Amino acid sequence: MRLLFCGVALTSLLLNANVKSGNAYTVDDVFENFRKAYNESRNFSADFEETIFRDGVKSSSRGELTFSKPNLLRKRTINQKDPTQLVQLIVLDGSYSWAYTPLLNQVNKMKLSNPEHEPLLPGIDASLQDVQKNYDMKLVVDEVANRKGVYQLELTPRPHMLSKPLDGGQSPRETLEMWIQAKDWLPIQFGYKLQYDTESNVIGIISLTNIKRDQKLDTGFFKFDIPNGAEVIDISPKE
């Protein structure tokens, strides 16, 4: 599961997909409401705050992102002390992924493997259309969040989705999560967790605020212009 940015699990009691508890919704209810809201939306923008724990070491970043269907993304990460200073710009223009780092004056360019792919969430490789075929879904019980109309889905890839390590080792255990607000059935937080048999692991979370839906975007908003003098490195997979 490849991600441009990520989210994390909350520690709670997990329920089976077909089990009802005190929640007003089942896991299928929540996912179908999310799918409907997604299908009815053209785009959405939000401020984000991202936190990653890699082998116990914490890093954080913040900025703004805009996602437009089916696979367009513009994500600006800014300096936490000086919001006028750009740290990184990531653009998905439908054909390529561009990642610009001003400090290095460097651009990483990668051809998208499937331009028609419709991601489950911005920057996440998982396909919205095939979620129920490729993932086991559970509803996580969180009484405090549920009372506020927020529902958490945990998605675990089925065996055929797991990549085989090149070194012959074991694949990490992967978890993708979404926190969905019943007010409009759009995500307000999402992320992933990678756990290895060793103590090594990666956990992260990205929270969204100031969410705006179906804005009028300027033509060329998702076009990436290479900065003057920037080094461009093509990291596209060899065909």
Side-chain angles (χ1 to χ4, degrees), residues 22 43 52 75 77 91-92 104 108-109 118 153 198 201 212 219 221 230 237:
N43 62 64
I52 300 174
K75 179 190 176 191
T77 301
V91 175
L92 274 63
L104 303 175
N108 286 339
K109 168 187 175 182
E118 188 172 14
L153 297 182
T198 63
N201 60 73
K212 298 177 182 178
T219 302
F221 184 80

Side-chain angles (χ1 to χ4, degrees), residues 18-90:
N18 58 354
V19 175
K20 278 195 175 184
S21 68
N23 290 324
Y25 300 98
T26 66
V27 64
D28 291 327
D29 292 334
V30 174
F31 183 75
E32 287 305 317
N33 283 325
F34 160 73
R35 187 204 297 271
K36 181 179 179 181
Y38 181 99
N39 288 336
E40 292 176 350
S41 301
R42 299 189 307 273
N43 62 64
F44 75 86
S45 300
D47 296 330
F48 73 85
E49 184 170 351
E50 183 175 6
T51 303
I52 300 174
F53 294 89
R54 189 182 300 272
D55 298 334
V57 179
K58 177 182 176 180
S59 62
S60 60
S61 61
R62 64 187 180 95
E64 58 191 26
L65 65 88
T66 300
F67 174 68
S68 183
K69 296 193 311 184
N71 55 8
L72 303 177
L73 174 72
R74 187 177 185 90
K75 179 190 176 191
R76 296 179 71 255
T77 301
I78 58 176
N79 186 292
Q80 299 203 52
K81 294 182 179 179
D82 180 4
T84 65
Q85 183 179 347
L86 177 68
V87 173
Q88 187 181 58
L89 173 64
I90 293 175

Side-chain angles (χ1 to χ4, degrees), residues 100-123:
Y100 171 54
T101 305
L103 181 63
L104 303 175
N105 199 24
Q106 185 179 92
V107 177
N108 286 339
K109 168 187 175 182
M110 183 174 68
K111 185 176 180 60
L112 299 179
S113 58
N114 182 7
E116 302 303 319
H117 173 73
E118 188 172 14
L120 172 65
L121 290 166

Side-chain angles (χ1 to χ4, degrees), residues 155-215:
L155 285 72
T156 305
R158 294 182 176 176
H160 69 275
M161 290 291 291
L162 299 177
S163 57
K164 296 181 179 180
L166 297 177
D167 60 4
Q170 293 187 340
S171 298
R173 295 181 296 277
E174 303 179 17
T175 303
L176 173 65
E177 298 205 319
M178 304 164 57
W179 285 261
I180 298 171
Q181 190 166 247
K183 180 176 66 176
D184 52 15
W185 295 111
L186 291 178
I188 58 171
Q189 187 167 282
F190 54 91
Y192 81 100
K193 176 166 61 176
L194 297 179
Q195 291 179 299
Y196 297 82
D197 287 339
T198 63
E199 294 182 358
S200 177
N201 60 73
V202 178
I203 300 174
I205 186 168
I206 181 165
S207 301
L208 304 179
T209 56
N210 299 323
I211 298 173
K212 298 177 182 178
R213 183 175 173 181
D214 293 339
Q215 297 186 96

Side-chain angles (χ1 to χ4, degrees), residues 113-137:
S113 58
N114 182 7
E116 302 303 319
H117 173 73
E118 188 172 14
L120 172 65
L121 290 166
I124 293 183
D125 228 10
S127 169
L128 175 67
Q129 298 92 329
D130 299 326
V131 166
Q132 291 165 306
K133 180 177 71 175
N134 293 330
Y135 293 84
D136 291 318
M137 292 193 297

